[in-house]
Amino acid sequence: MSPESPESPESPDGPVDTRPDLLYTEEEDALRAAVRDLLDDHCDAAGVIVRTESDAPHDLELWKALSSDMGLAGLLVPEARGGQGATHREAAVVLEELGRAVAPVPYLTSAVVATEALLACGGVEDLLAELASGRTIGALAVALNTAPGGPYKVVRQENGTLHGELTAIADAAVADVLLVPADDGGLYAVDASAATVIPRVSLDLTRPLAKVVLHGAQGRRLGDAEPAVRRALRAGAGLLASEQLGLAEWALTETVRYLKERRQFNRPVGGFQALKHRLAQLWLELVSLRAAARNAADALATGSDDTDVAVAVAQAYAAPVAVHAAEEALQLHGGIGMTWEHPVHLYLKRAKADAIAYGTAGGHRAALAELVDLPAP
């Protein structure tokens, strides 16, 4: 394209490159190193497995270290509203590392989804500051499998109180405040102690689901539910791709390491050509996933007009790659991969659960087709 082309904006110094920079900045690399060090010290695989067997799978001490000590719960909240004033790019880096560790903390649900819902409302500075500090954990009371722009269940608002049941609410068991959409079109903040939260056995034991029952609960109206939920789910879907990227990178890294150590016929298993081909294919998929996840995070951070497209592309691609990476890790670890003591099952379950979180890959492909005006055959 020539510099004179109307699609190529110019500056006094020449054409302006409007393409997003998807490379990690020095600050993002430093943030990654800090989060990884913390997780290495406080989120070992054996400890996570033990937690999944208990009645308290969430690691609230780790959450305190991430949110209060490091200030990561407020990355998406402007400084003027009590947060760190960072962007979705930094939050994406944190989620990559949390995905790599399968950390049982409510970062995605509270620091991203619930926070984005509040950012769409006015006059909620007090609640935003609480979530940004990490002292309060929030959960959007919309089923985890709800796609951005998709239908969701609401409760009945009657004489100033809320009545109804909401299912498949992620991390509701540790939430202090629930953001509940009601049939009058409002989004309400409900103290979790005023609701009955019933844990449900979920495939991913590191991100538990629960049913929320409201029977005459008092709620504070925050604003209109539809734009708040849509914004929250779009950010959740876009940044979930970064968590899936971290998960897939762990699976590939650990599998390569194991195959270099495991020996058969007096040679490393990783030296066999058939396994090299499988790992090379997986690496190529991860490279593409990284580009898609970074593009979604950058689009959310900059408020790009193509944000919906970037999020749909990222989620249409991320789920199959993350599941494939986890499945390859389990299979190529052989017998040890089938044991409860090895953490690969945590990654496969998280990958499978993430594959339907905030919409399925097929649903996002259909949404993408509409966004780019590509009719189905």
Side-chain angles (χ1 to χ4, degrees):
M1 184 180 293
S2 66
E4 290 78 17
S5 170
E7 287 83 6
S8 180
E10 293 185 7
S11 72
D13 299 323
V16 175
D17 189 353
T18 58
R19 294 173 297 182
D21 182 3
L22 304 185
L23 298 177
Y24 297 100
T25 65
E26 291 183 5
E27 291 79 8
E28 289 166 354
D29 285 336
L31 175 61
R32 177 192 306 284
V35 175
R36 185 173 297 186
D37 286 344
L38 176 66
L39 293 173
D40 286 344
D41 292 339
H42 299 284
C43 191
D44 62 290
V48 175
I49 292 174
V50 169
R51 285 190 173 279
T52 63
E53 298 173 317
S54 72
D55 294 331
H58 292 93
D59 190 340
L60 296 183
E61 287 299 318
L62 176 60
W63 170 250
K64 180 178 181 298
L66 287 165
S67 60
S68 301
D69 299 346
M70 297 185 69
L72 301 183
L75 287 181
L76 299 182
V77 180
E79 291 184 84
R81 305 180 77 175
Q84 302 298 320
T87 72
H88 299 80
R89 289 176 60 113
E90 288 78 18
V93 170
V94 175
L95 281 164
E96 283 182 36
E97 293 306 309
L98 295 178
R100 183 187 293 271
V102 200
V105 292
Y107 189 86
L108 181 65
T109 49
S110 182
V112 175
V113 175
T115 295
E116 286 280 350
L118 291 178
L119 287 170
C121 303
V124 295
E125 272 64 23
D126 57 334
L127 193 50
L128 260 179
E130 285 291 313
L131 260 64
S133 69
R135 294 189 298 269
T136 296
I137 297 173
L140 180 65
V142 172
L144 183 62
N145 64 331
T146 306
Y152 52 89
K153 190 175 180 181
V154 299
V155 299
R156 188 175 80 257
Q157 197 277 344
E158 185 178 284
N159 299 323
T161 61
L162 302 173
H163 306 259
E165 296 182 358
L166 300 165
T167 58
I169 309 303
D171 294 331
V174 291
D176 301 298
V177 61
L178 300 167
L179 307 182
V180 180
D183 59 0
D184 66 346
L187 183 69
Y188 290 83
V190 177
D191 192 305
S193 62
T196 302
V197 178
I198 306 170
R200 292 293 187 230
V201 177
S202 56
L203 175 64
D204 177 13
L205 299 176
T206 63
R207 182 175 285 148
L209 304 179
K211 179 170 78 171
V212 173
V213 180
L214 301 172
H215 185 67
Q218 297 289 335
R220 165 189 169 189
R221 184 177 176 124
L222 306 173
D224 293 335
E226 194 275 332
V229 171
R230 184 176 64 249
R231 172 173 175 167
L233 296 182
R234 185 176 73 166
L239 294 187
L240 177 64
S242 293
E243 176 185 288
Q244 291 164 306
L245 170 61
L247 184 157
E249 286 185 329
W250 177 92
L252 177 59
T253 300
E254 285 301 304
T255 303
V256 169
R257 182 193 61 78
Y258 177 76
L259 294 182
K260 285 181 178 180
E261 297 175 354
R262 174 73 168 143
R263 301 180 71 86
Q264 283 186 354
F265 308 111
N266 202 32
R267 61 179 292 190
V269 173
F272 294 117
Q273 192 75 1
L275 299 189
K276 286 183 178 180
H277 287 169
R278 290 170 68 170
L279 295 173
Q281 176 61 37
L282 186 55
W283 182 83
L284 290 173
E285 293 176 10
L286 257 67
V287 171
S288 298
L289 172 53
R290 182 179 297 110
R294 291 294 293 169
N295 186 52
D298 185 81
L300 287 165
T302 59
S304 168
D305 293 338
D306 292 328
T307 299
D308 288 341
V309 171
V311 169
V313 167
Q315 271 307 307
Y317 191 73
V321 173
V323 171
H324 180 214
E327 289 177 341
E328 288 286 74
L330 185 140
Q331 292 174 14
L332 295 179
H333 272 80
I336 189 66
M338 301 294 178
T339 64
W340 182 260
E341 290 76 13
H342 196 282
V344 68
H345 65 90
L346 297 176
Y347 291 83
L348 180 57
K349 292 170 184 174
R350 171 68 68 88
K352 288 282 191 178
D354 282 355
I356 61 172
Y358 306 119
T360 63
H364 285 286
R365 284 193 292 270
L368 179 61
E370 290 189 15
L371 289 169
V372 300
D373 195 24
L374 182 65

